[in-house]
Amino acid sequence: MRASTRSGPLSDSQDGWADTSTRRRTGESAYLRESEWDAVCETTLQTVAGRVPTLVGVSHWSTEGAVRRARVAARNGATAIMVLPQVYWKLTESELVRHFSTVAAATDLPMMLYNNPGTSGVDLQPETVVALARKIPNLTMVKESSGIVARFRSIQDLSDGALSVYNGNNPVALEAFRSGAVGWCTASPCLVPQWALALHAAATGGEDERAEAILVELLPFLQFIVGYGLPRAIKAGLELQKRDVGLPRAPLLPLPDEQTEELEKILDRLASHPLLAGATGPAA
C-alpha cells in the first residue's frame, strides 16, 4: 500500500507505461483484509488519476466478495476488472458461468478472465474461455498464464479475434508476442521497468534480434521472481532499491538472505549492462 503513493510504476506513467494493475492474485490480494484491499484499490486509482488505463483484479473466494470488489473498483474509476476462478472446491462449468456472469454484471466495465492454473488450481482451456465469452458480453480480454504458448493463437482463432489475449507467464514473454499476445501482464516493471518496456518495444516493433538479445539478459531475472514467488522476490528487490514496502504477509516469509544476495547481483548486472545501461529501479 505504501508503494502505491511513492515513486515507482504508478508515478512514472509519462515514461512509457501502457497501463497498471492493482494487487493481482499472485501478489498479496488473498492476504489482505477487505478494508486494506479497498485502500489499495482507492489509493492506486487516485494516484493514477486516469493517466493510463487501470485494470483491477477483483478475485475473491466467493462470488459475493468478487462482486463487492468489482463495484469498489468501478466506483473509484477503474478502466476494467480482472477475475480469476479463486476456489477451494473445483467448480463445474455451470458454476463457472454463474460466477463470471454475476461478477461481470455487477459493473459496466470490460472484464478480463484470468487463467492461472499454477495459483488457482483451475486450468481454463481455450474452448472453455471462448464459451464463457460468448455468454458474457463484457468479457473481452484474457490473461493466459499457463505458459502454453499455443493457447494465445487458439483463443484468438476460436473467438474469431473477438478476445484480446495477454500473456501472464514471464519466461515465455517473447514467444507470447510472436504468437499473437497483445500485451504482457507482469510484475517485472516493479524492479526493471525499462527492460520490460524495451522487450515489448522490440518484440512488437519487428526488431527480432534486439528482442532476442534483451530476453537472453532478462530471462534469469524473470525466472528468479517466478521461481521464488512474486511477493517474496519483488518485495526483496524493492527493499534493495531503498523502497520500503514492508514484509510479505504471513504465511509468506521474506526472501532468504542467500537468495536476496543473488537477486541483488542480478539487478546490479542489469543496471550496468551496456544493452540497456541504468535500466533498473524507478524510471527516470
Side-chain angles (χ1 to χ4, degrees), residues 174 184 192 194-203 207-222 269-270 273 275-276:
L174 184 52
W184 179 20
V192 290
Q194 297 304 332
W195 280 88
L197 287 170
L199 179 59
H200 173 265
E207 300 178 82
D208 291 343
E209 289 187 10
R210 177 169 171 78
E212 291 277 6
I214 291 171
L215 182 63
V216 166
E217 301 303 328
L218 186 58
L219 190 57
F221 167 77
L222 297 177
R269 181 181 59 79
L270 290 175
H273 197 284
L275 186 62
L276 214 68

Side-chain angles (χ1 to χ4, degrees), residues 130-187:
V130 173
L132 285 166
R134 286 176 177 152
K135 297 174 182 177
I136 306 171
N138 54 331
L139 199 173
T140 60
M141 302 168 285
V142 181
K143 178 181 175 183
E144 171 52 58
S145 300
S146 68
I148 302 173
V149 176
R151 290 189 178 183
F152 298 106
R153 187 67 64 192
S154 293
I155 293 171
Q156 289 179 322
D157 289 346
L158 289 170
S159 69
D160 296 322
L163 286 173
S164 298
V165 189
Y166 293 74
N167 172 44
N169 186 292
N170 284 312
V172 304
L174 184 52
E175 293 177 84
F177 282 125
R178 290 173 173 171
S179 297
V182 299
W184 179 20
C185 301
T186 173

Side-chain angles (χ1 to χ4, degrees), residues 34-275:
E34 287 302 286
S35 60
E36 292 174 321
W37 189 95
D38 290 358
V40 170
C41 178
E42 293 165 5
T43 302
T44 301
L45 291 168
Q46 289 168 10
T47 303
V48 172
R51 287 176 291 165
V52 291
T54 306
L55 173 72
V56 178
V58 301
S59 303
H60 193 276
W61 298 105
S62 71
T63 302
E64 179 183 11
V67 164
R68 193 201 71 81
R69 289 182 171 187
R71 288 172 175 162
V72 171
R75 188 166 63 246
N76 285 278
T79 308
I81 57 173
M82 179 173 67
V83 186
L84 176 89
Q86 187 171 311
V87 301
Y88 180 80
W89 293 105
K90 184 177 180 179
L91 300 181
T92 66
E93 183 175 345
S94 296
E95 289 166 340
L96 284 170
V97 170
R98 184 178 66 173
H99 178 67
F100 287 119
S101 297
T102 303
V103 178
T107 79
D108 59 358
L109 297 177
M111 186 171 81
M112 174 183 279
L113 187 149
Y114 184 10
N115 183 46
N116 191 339
T119 57
S120 71
V122 177
D123 189 8
L124 299 171
Q125 301 293 316
E127 293 80 6
T128 301
V129 170
V130 173
L132 285 166
R134 286 176 177 152
K135 297 174 182 177
I136 306 171
N138 54 331
L139 199 173
T140 60
M141 302 168 285
V142 181
K143 178 181 175 183
E144 171 52 58
S145 300
S146 68
I148 302 173
V149 176
R151 290 189 178 183
F152 298 106
R153 187 67 64 192
S154 293
I155 293 171
Q156 289 179 322
D157 289 346
L158 289 170
S159 69
D160 296 322
L163 286 173
S164 298
V165 189
Y166 293 74
N167 172 44
N169 186 292
N170 284 312
V172 304
L174 184 52
E175 293 177 84
F177 282 125
R178 290 173 173 171
S179 297
V182 299
W184 179 20
C185 301
T186 173
S188 62
C190 293
L191 298 179
V192 290
Q194 297 304 332
W195 280 88
L197 287 170
L199 179 59
H200 173 265
T204 58
E207 300 178 82
D208 291 343
E209 289 187 10
R210 177 169 171 78
E212 291 277 6
I214 291 171
L215 182 63
V216 166
E217 301 303 328
L218 186 58
L219 190 57
F221 167 77
L222 297 177
Q223 292 172 330
F224 183 97
I225 62 174
V226 172
Y228 287 105
L230 297 180
R232 302 182 194 92
I234 295 299
K235 283 198 166 186
L238 291 171
E239 292 292 336
L240 288 171
Q241 294 177 351
K242 310 302 181 186
R243 300 163 70 192
D244 179 23
V245 293
L247 298 174
R249 284 294 175 88
L252 297 178
L253 291 170
L255 193 69
D257 291 344
E258 182 179 351
Q259 281 70 49
T260 300
E261 292 175 6
E262 182 182 352
L263 177 59
E264 185 172 23
K265 291 177 182 177
I266 292 173
L267 293 175
D268 287 346
R269 181 181 59 79
L270 290 175
S272 61
H273 197 284
L275 186 62

